[in-house]
């Protein structure tokens, strides 16, 4: 029987003990959900569950959902429909819905889909194991006073040399289009000492790159031993952990880029020269209507300051087209902003009216107009992305290997600028951090050879079988 829900996100589970219960998790949405899925897997692991990547083998299926756009949240219902035959065949199969749709719709999900046993909101994950053992339908969408992360087991497994670490959750910004303040609640920062401990544990398990996560990660203001720590402070302390070679953070709000964080980009070598700084629109009128609380000029000035301390930084962003009231001129301003900034990549979306948000009350832009704008914007971004990738050809970069490539002798990893790189390196292993020279660029990936390979060997395939390999480096700048 074909897998009803192929899931590339589920880590390959270690061989299960005979008789162990199996858990299938499908993750939608942002990296924070990926992190949460890992933590829920650990929590259920403590109850004897092991992960499976096939829903039809599972004793429990958990869908960790996203509510950000209508399409994202409707996916839940199509996936639940696909699970129906499995549930009919095996009524004791537990089906759980976690994440932002769970928070937004709560018990309504069970009314619409009675096959759902558990609905658990993002702040109640530590209660999942007890809910899984309880009889009858379970719903928990509380924002409990206790920190769920304190009540979840320590992270024991990791998937390789890179890891996410949630440092901050929730959002108080209330952009007019966005559901996050309602689904994730108010901004809460985790205490610095716990984060330092979790980071040290990850590094001890072989992690070399940590991406700090938060809906407004640069708004981080965690309790430290000596007063409140900002994100800049946290990054500087993390950089002191021996063996932590790379630090990234996402997603940032332009208004929270403080002086110390900007300075850290120029001073902390482990902080990668890459910044995702969503702007959404290039029109002052629309920025105001979106409640973003900054102007296009303020955004330009901010980027100038960041580039002054770190000229090679690669900027990426998010854009929404077709926000209610967006005129041709507003859209032209967005295109102009993109041309002026020059991005390495961007996510762009057609505005989706979300229930309960202020913008949803306003008359929408005609769908056909928004479609054309989206295509134009994506074409411009793709041009910029290609140019950024092509500019890497001939340059020496550092690559952290994450997995073997499809071709023999090939390793795949990420550059400092978060570009995917295929390296001809038969002696390479997952977790190596190597220097390599870029030989070719496509829109979404680079090809490279380890530095030290002669020019003659740099022909296609010629690097295979090389004896020399550079020593993995500790610091990559
Ligand atoms: N905290 C981040 C964004 C989180 S949501 C920030 O402030 O930038 C990720 C992206 O989804 C947003 O940047 C926005 O571009 C997009 N998005 C959010 N709500 C949307 C909506 N209602 N319609 C279309 N795109 C939306
Ligand atoms: Fe949503 Fe705005 Fe908060 Fe980002 S800053 S999560 S877009 S409300
Ligand atoms: Fe989606 Fe919730 Fe993340 S709405 S983008 S999963 S915070």
């Amino acid at each position: 029987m074909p897998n009803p829900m192929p899931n590339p996100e589920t880590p390959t589970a270690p061989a299960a003990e005979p008789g162990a219960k199996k858990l299938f998790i499908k993750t939608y949405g942002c990296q924070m959900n990926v992190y949460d899925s890992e933590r829920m897997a650990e929590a259920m692991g403590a109850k004897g569950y092991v992960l499976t990547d096939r829903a039809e083998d599972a004793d429990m299926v958990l869908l960790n959902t996203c509510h950000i756009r209508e399409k994202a949240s409707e996916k839940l219902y199509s996936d639940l429909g696909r699970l129906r035959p499995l549930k009919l065949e095996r009524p004791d199969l537990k089906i759980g819905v976690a994440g932002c749709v769970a928070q937004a719709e709560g018990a309504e999900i069970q009314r619409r889909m009675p096959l759902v046993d558990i609905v658990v909101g993002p702040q109640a994950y530590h209660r999942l194991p007890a809910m899984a053992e309880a009889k009858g339908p379970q719903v928990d969408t509380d924002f409990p006073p206790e920190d769920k992360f304190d009540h979840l087991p320590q992270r024991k497994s990791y998937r390789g040399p890179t890891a996410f670490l949630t440092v901050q959750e929730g959002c108080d910004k209330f952009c007019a289009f966005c559901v996050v303040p309602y689904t994730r609640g108010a901004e809460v920062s985790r205490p610095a000492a716990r984060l330092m401990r979790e980071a040290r544990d990850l590094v001890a398990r072989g992690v070399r790159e940590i991406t700090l996560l938060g809906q407004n990660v640069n708004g981080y203001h965690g309790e430290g031993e000596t007063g409140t720590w900002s994100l800049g402070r946290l990054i500087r302390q993390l950089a002191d952990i021996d063996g932590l070679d790379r630090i990234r953070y996402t997603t940032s709000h332009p208004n929270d880029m403080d002086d110390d964080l900007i300075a850290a980009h120029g001073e902390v070598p482990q902080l990668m020269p890459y910044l995702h700084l969503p702007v959404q629109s290039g029109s002052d009128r629309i920025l105001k209507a979106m409640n973003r609380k900054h102007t296009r000029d303020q955004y330009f000035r901010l980027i100038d300051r960041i580039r002054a301390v770190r000229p090679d930084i690669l900027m990426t962003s998010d854009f929404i087209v077709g926000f209610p009231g967006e005129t041709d001129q507003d859209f032209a301003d967005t295109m102009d902003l993109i041309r002026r900034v020059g991005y390495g990549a961007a996510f762009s979306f057609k505005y989706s009216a979300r229930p309960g948000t202020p913008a949803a009350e306003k008359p929408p832009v005609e769908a056909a107009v928004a479609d054309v704008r989206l295509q134009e914007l994506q074409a411009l971004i793709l041009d910029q992305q290609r140019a950024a990738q092509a500019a890497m050809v001939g340059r020496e970069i550092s690559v952290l290997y994450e997995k073997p490539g499809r071709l023999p002798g090939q390793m795949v990893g990420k550059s400092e600028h978060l570009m995917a790189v295929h390296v001809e390196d038969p002696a390479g292993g997952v977790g190596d951090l190597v220097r390599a020279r870029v030989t070719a660029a496509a829109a979404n990936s680079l090809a490279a050879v380890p530095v030290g390979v002669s020019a003659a060997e740099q022909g296609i395939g010629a690097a295979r079988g090389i004896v020399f390999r550079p020593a993995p480096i500790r610091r990559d700048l």
Side-chain angles (χ1 to χ4, degrees):
M1 178 177 151
N3 187 357
M5 260 184 245
N7 185 9
E9 294 282 5
T10 305
T12 315
E17 305 265 320
K21 287 195 186 168
K22 297 199 185 113
L23 171 66
F24 172 88
I25 306 187
K26 179 165 178 178
T27 307
Y28 317 67
C30 62
Q31 291 105 325
M32 201 157 291
N33 266 8
V34 175
Y35 176 84
D36 287 344
S37 288
E38 239 181 80
R39 301 296 302 262
M40 285 190 276
E42 293 278 348
M44 296 308 291
K47 295 280 169 204
Y49 281 82
V50 296
L51 283 171
T52 171
D53 44 20
R54 290 161 48 90
E56 70 265 34
D57 290 348
D59 299 281
M60 179 169 174
V61 169
L62 196 57
L63 305 175
N64 194 7
T65 59
C66 174
H67 194 58
I68 201 85
R69 284 166 293 275
E70 190 180 355
K71 256 198 209 147
S73 73
E74 282 304 311
K75 261 191 215 147
L76 165 66
Y77 292 101
S78 53
D79 279 348
L80 286 173
R82 255 176 287 169
L83 285 170
R84 198 177 276 128
L86 274 186
K87 180 78 175 177
L88 285 174
E89 214 176 279
R90 290 192 284 122
D92 56 347
L93 168 70
K94 287 255 179 215
I95 297 184
V97 176
C100 292
V101 182
Q103 189 63 44
E105 297 183 5
E108 181 56 31
I109 296 173
Q110 283 165 331
R111 273 194 284 280
R112 199 166 148 186
M113 285 287 187
L115 79 166
V116 173
D117 301 285
I118 297 168
V119 174
V120 60
Q123 303 311 329
Y125 291 157
H126 51 303
R127 297 178 178 169
L128 177 66
M131 293 170 85
E133 275 170 18
K135 298 253 175 292
Q138 302 287 312
V139 181
D140 192 338
T141 51
D142 279 0
F143 287 100
E146 73 271 15
D147 177 353
K148 67 178 169 194
F149 293 121
D150 288 350
H151 294 81
L152 284 167
Q154 284 283 311
R155 299 168 79 185
K156 288 196 198 67
S157 60
Y158 75 98
R159 288 192 230 164
T162 63
F164 291 139
L165 174 53
T166 293
V167 303
Q168 174 277 337
E169 271 204 278
C171 182
D172 299 337
K173 296 225 163 26
F174 292 93
C175 298
F177 50 82
C178 185
V179 293
V180 170
Y182 313 98
T183 61
R184 293 273 169 170
E187 269 186 62
V188 178
S189 294
R190 298 177 64 196
R194 297 214 187 103
L195 297 173
M196 293 299 296
R197 196 172 61 212
E198 196 169 324
R200 282 194 201 95
D201 273 2
L202 288 168
V203 172
R205 291 171 205 285
V207 167
R208 303 183 77 166
E209 172 178 313
I210 291 182
T211 302
L212 308 175
L213 297 181
Q215 269 92 17
N216 268 300
V217 69
N218 55 343
Y220 176 79
H221 54 280
E223 167 205 323
E225 292 135 32
T226 48
T228 306
W229 286 21
S230 65
L231 189 69
R233 175 83 195 273
L234 179 66
I235 287 171
R236 288 171 197 276
Q237 299 294 133
L238 287 167
D240 282 343
I241 298 178
D242 197 30
L244 181 56
D245 298 292
R246 291 175 159 195
I247 302 170
R248 306 181 186 276
Y249 62 91
T250 200
T251 293
S252 303
H253 192 288
N255 291 354
D256 288 329
M257 286 302 297
D258 66 19
D259 293 348
D260 185 46
L261 183 56
I262 295 173
H265 276 282
E267 291 162 8
V268 179
Q270 294 89 339
L271 185 55
M272 293 292 96
Y274 174 95
L275 181 59
H276 184 63
L277 196 60
V279 65
Q280 316 298 352
S281 168
S283 152
D284 279 339
R285 233 175 48 84
I286 295 296
L287 285 170
K288 194 161 193 309
M290 285 177 163
N291 194 30
R292 292 290 291 184
K293 299 204 171 95
H294 65 76
T295 63
R296 60 189 261 127
D297 272 344
Q298 283 166 333
Y299 185 76
F300 288 141
R301 282 204 295 276
L302 175 60
I303 288 182
D304 285 347
R305 287 175 59 212
I306 299 165
R307 284 184 167 154
V309 298
R310 194 67 217 243
D312 66 334
I313 200 158
L314 189 86
M315 300 297 307
T316 64
S317 189
D318 292 347
F319 294 94
I320 295 177
V321 300
F323 184 80
E326 185 187 71
T327 62
D328 285 343
Q329 183 55 50
D330 294 321
F331 178 65
D333 287 349
T334 299
M335 295 292 275
D336 176 68
L337 177 141
I338 295 172
R339 281 190 203 97
R340 286 203 206 183
V341 173
Y343 290 100
F347 294 109
S348 47
F349 311 98
K350 198 163 87 168
Y351 168 73
S352 165
R354 306 306 290 130
T357 59
E361 313 285 312
K362 301 199 188 150
V365 166
E366 211 182 304
V369 172
D371 283 334
V372 172
R373 288 179 187 164
L374 186 62
Q375 277 171 22
E376 253 182 71
L377 188 149
Q378 287 180 340
L380 176 58
I381 292 287
L382 187 60
D383 279 352
Q384 295 193 340
Q385 185 174 328
R386 285 215 173 94
Q389 298 267 129
M392 302 309 293
V393 175
R395 289 215 214 159
E396 203 179 299
I397 57 174
S398 87
V399 186
L400 178 59
Y401 291 161
E402 292 175 15
K403 57 183 182 194
R406 258 184 267 151
L407 300 175
Q410 194 184 54
M411 296 301 295
V412 183
K414 297 274 166 39
S415 73
E416 302 92 320
H417 296 106
L418 204 62
M419 292 173 179
V421 193
H422 292 76
V423 187
E424 297 275 353
D425 188 358
V430 171
D432 289 354
L433 184 57
V434 300
R435 296 210 72 88
R437 188 169 306 283
V438 179
T439 54
N444 291 311
S445 72
L446 302 173
V449 289
V451 170
V453 178
S454 75
E457 284 173 318
Q458 287 188 14
I460 294 167
R464 271 184 217 146
I466 51 167
V467 207
F468 171 78
R469 59 173 277 95
I473 50 171
R474 297 216 55 75
R475 299 276 175 253
D476 54 344
L477 284 170

